[in-house]
Amino acid sequence: VAPVPQWCRMRSRRALCLSIMAVAMVSLPSCGGMVRDSRPSIVLIVVDTLRADYLGCYGFEGEISPNIDALAEESFVFTGCHSQAPWTTPSVASMMSSMLPDLYGVGLPEDAPRNHLEWRRQWSPAIPDSATTLAEQLHASGYRTAAFVANPFLVDGLGFDQGFEVFDTRRARAADRSAQRVFGDSAEWLDEALRGREPFFLYLHLMDVHGPYDAHRRDFVAVKDSPGLGPDHRLTNEEWDRIQPYLREPDWAKQPEARSVRTWRGRYAAGVRAADRQIGEFLDRLRSHHRWANTIVVLTSDHGEELFDHGNWDHGFSLYEHQLRVPLIVRLPGSERAGTRLDQPVRLLDLAPTVLHAAGAEPLPEHHGRLLLSRDIDARTPTVFASCNKARPEESAIIADDHKLIVDLETGARQLFDLASDPEEKHNLWSEGNERAQILAHL
């Protein structure tokens, strides 16, 4: 029997009751023996650093994501999903707990080490023991749980392992962090879970899109002329120097072509295409199993990436849309509500209560998120909050009614954007007398 290292953390009386109910449900006898639990299994695929606008189903023009696009056709697609932070650790903490990351005090000042091992020695867990995670609640209600993650900012000791029977971080410590390896590492566990009677929750965190952009050249060739890459620009020496050193490591970045903005965007897009191919093979394997009919598949990202949109690069250093707007694709059992698209803002912190509800468990009272699959969701527009800028920890953003206000409490700087008319956030509308700005500032 597999050990359950997180059992002692399942503190709530509700979780205990749900666990007892789940055991009773799967233990009912029948003429054929044990009855299979009828609740859906859940597969959560997080593609690290994936911008929503670099998928075909979100409007990218070019051959970039045929497999994810096919998944979107049989899914509920949320076109206005926002992360609560522009980098992995606080974003995933919020996603898994349905709580705003500011509550955990997760941040990274300018003088903090970029090496993740040094960072871990200086910071407390991103998810404290006092928080109950999505995996903990599912495990307590009878789900088998496993995670296979390739991001070193999610390794053991930060709280992300809470509730997982298996929390596999070998790829986070390896040179090869490809999706092919992550899917391969998870194959044995998944095969066993598919043969079992209990529903399961499998979390896969992929790094193929994250820099340095080193996808095979064939993927770059396939996307380098895509209209979705936008206009070109030759980088000046000053603009070039803003590129993070780790992004300049691949051989192609040392060639003259690297002075082209479209080259950088094409190399990023090549990573999306490479990840899409591996995701397609994984989904085909799932589709071939009879349990596919009763499986929820969620595909999303923890944050986006700046590709010179505001003159800079990388992620974690601003709260613009290219950092926060991420895909959220939810394939329901039997492809229920396939083709539905919702344009209003939703949040990654809505994911946990939504998944719990679909699994027949009750969201916790402390959850900040809401149910995304309720029939009246389009009548209830939420307010979106985001924070945890690495360079400016006092900066936060709020989005409501197609307007976005970014405020830095340390410097007093304010930016107001009309996302409906200015989705690229080029025109700052802030003024002391602006009524919309005052409303947002007091939310």
Side-chain angles (χ1 to χ4, degrees):
V1 178
V4 186
Q6 302 302 327
W7 178 256
C8 60
R9 292 175 177 165
M10 297 168 184
R11 298 161 301 278
S12 70
R13 186 173 302 171
R14 175 186 290 107
L16 180 59
C17 292
L18 286 171
S19 180
I20 295 171
M21 291 169 60
V23 171
M25 180 186 306
V26 300
S27 300
L28 289 174
S30 72
C31 57
M34 301 284 282
V35 176
R36 185 185 298 279
D37 194 319
S38 63
R39 292 174 298 171
S41 290
I42 302 151
V43 177
L44 170 61
I45 303 173
V46 177
V47 186
D48 203 294
T49 320
L50 177 59
R51 290 171 54 149
D53 58 350
Y54 270 70
L55 292 176
C57 53
Y58 281 80
F60 185 89
E61 297 181 67
E63 296 298 318
I64 192 170
S65 56
N67 295 293
I68 295 175
D69 296 346
L71 176 66
E73 290 179 0
E74 54 181 315
S75 303
F76 197 129
V77 177
F78 299 88
T79 62
C81 184
H82 288 79
S83 170
Q84 274 50 77
W87 60 291
T88 300
T89 305
S91 173
V92 177
S94 181
M95 183 193 312
M96 293 300 186
S97 68
S98 189
M99 299 174 74
L100 291 169
D102 279 348
L103 296 180
Y104 304 132
V106 177
L108 196 62
E110 290 182 357
D111 58 351
R114 294 292 289 156
N115 180 284
H116 75 277
L117 295 177
E118 290 296 326
W119 175 80
R120 284 183 63 208
R121 280 192 278 268
Q122 296 189 24
W123 292 89
S124 60
I127 304 179
D129 285 345
S130 58
T132 303
T133 66
L134 171 62
E136 282 183 292
Q137 288 184 268
L138 289 173
H139 189 277
S141 65
Y143 274 71
R144 296 199 59 188
T145 57
F148 295 81
V149 302
N151 190 310
F153 280 76
L154 298 173
V155 293
D156 309 33
L158 296 180
F160 295 101
D161 58 336
Q162 291 179 204
F164 286 106
E165 300 170 40
V166 174
F167 193 78
D168 189 314
T169 59
R170 78 185 87 168
R171 289 302 141 201
R173 298 177 171 88
D176 186 351
R177 299 176 182 171
S178 67
Q180 182 179 17
R181 293 293 188 184
V182 175
F183 289 134
D185 293 344
S186 68
E188 182 178 353
W189 187 92
L190 179 58
D191 285 344
E192 182 183 351
L194 287 170
R195 291 193 300 269
R197 299 182 182 278
E198 307 91 346
F200 61 85
F201 172 47
L202 175 61
Y203 164 40
L204 302 159
H205 196 109
L206 313 180
M207 289 289 283
D208 300 60
V209 179
H210 193 288
Y213 317 129
D214 55 2
H216 197 281
R217 181 170 176 80
R218 66 173 177 270
D219 290 303
F220 172 68
V221 170
V223 297
K224 68 182 181 66
D225 296 321
S226 300
L229 300 179
D232 202 4
H233 170 79
R234 182 165 181 80
L235 298 169
T236 66
N237 290 337
E238 179 186 359
E239 292 165 344
W240 170 264
D241 289 340
R242 296 178 201 159
I243 302 175
Q244 295 276 11
Y246 86 97
L247 293 175
R248 289 183 261 163
E249 291 176 359
D251 289 339
W252 67 263
K254 300 174 176 63
Q255 305 303 316
E257 66 177 10
R259 288 286 177 159
S260 162
V261 167
R262 277 183 63 90
T263 295
W264 283 90
R265 293 176 177 173
R267 290 290 179 173
Y268 171 85
V272 178
R273 193 171 191 273
D276 177 84
R277 182 167 55 253
Q278 295 300 324
I279 290 169
E281 293 179 6
F282 173 77
L283 292 177
D284 285 344
R285 181 180 166 209
L286 275 181
R287 288 187 180 100
S288 68
H289 198 278
H290 67 87
R291 292 186 70 170
W292 170 254
N294 195 33
T295 297
I296 296 171
V297 176
V298 179
L299 187 142
T300 188
S301 180
D302 49 352
H303 55 76
E305 182 86 327
E306 178 162 8
L307 300 167
F308 201 66
D309 304 77
H310 284 83
N312 284 295
W313 309 87
D314 203 12
H315 54 267
F317 300 100
S318 80
L319 299 178
Y320 294 122
E321 291 294 278
H322 49 68
Q323 302 280 284
L324 301 179
R325 188 164 169 261
V326 295
L328 180 57
I329 299 169
V330 181
R331 186 267 180 189
L332 296 171
S335 297
E336 181 185 355
R337 305 181 75 176
T340 304
R341 297 175 71 90
L342 185 73
D343 295 332
Q344 69 169 251
V346 300
R347 306 155 299 184
L348 283 184
L349 60 79
D350 296 324
L351 186 58
T354 298
V355 169
L356 287 169
H357 182 75
E362 288 295 324
L364 294 178
E366 59 263 34
H367 281 169
H368 294 162
R370 62 174 184 155
L371 302 181
L372 294 181
L373 300 176
S374 59
R375 292 291 177 177
D376 63 340
I377 184 174
D378 55 355
R380 299 176 292 115
T381 302
T383 300
V384 175
F385 294 96
S387 60
C388 296
N389 183 324
K390 292 179 183 178
R392 296 185 294 278
E394 295 300 315
E395 185 177 77
S396 60
I398 181 170
I399 303 172
D401 297 328
D402 289 329
H403 284 77
K404 179 177 181 180
L405 178 65
I406 303 176
V407 179
D408 189 332
L409 296 179
E410 182 177 356
T411 66
R414 285 167 167 74
Q415 301 175 78
L416 176 68
F417 301 103
D418 183 340
L419 298 179
S421 62
D422 181 26
E424 296 182 354
E425 299 166 290
K426 300 296 187 183
H427 307 290
N428 183 4
L429 304 177
W430 168 261
S431 69
E432 293 292 343
N434 187 297
E435 181 179 359
R436 176 63 61 180
Q438 296 304 317
I439 292 174
L440 289 175
H442 288 88
L443 285 178

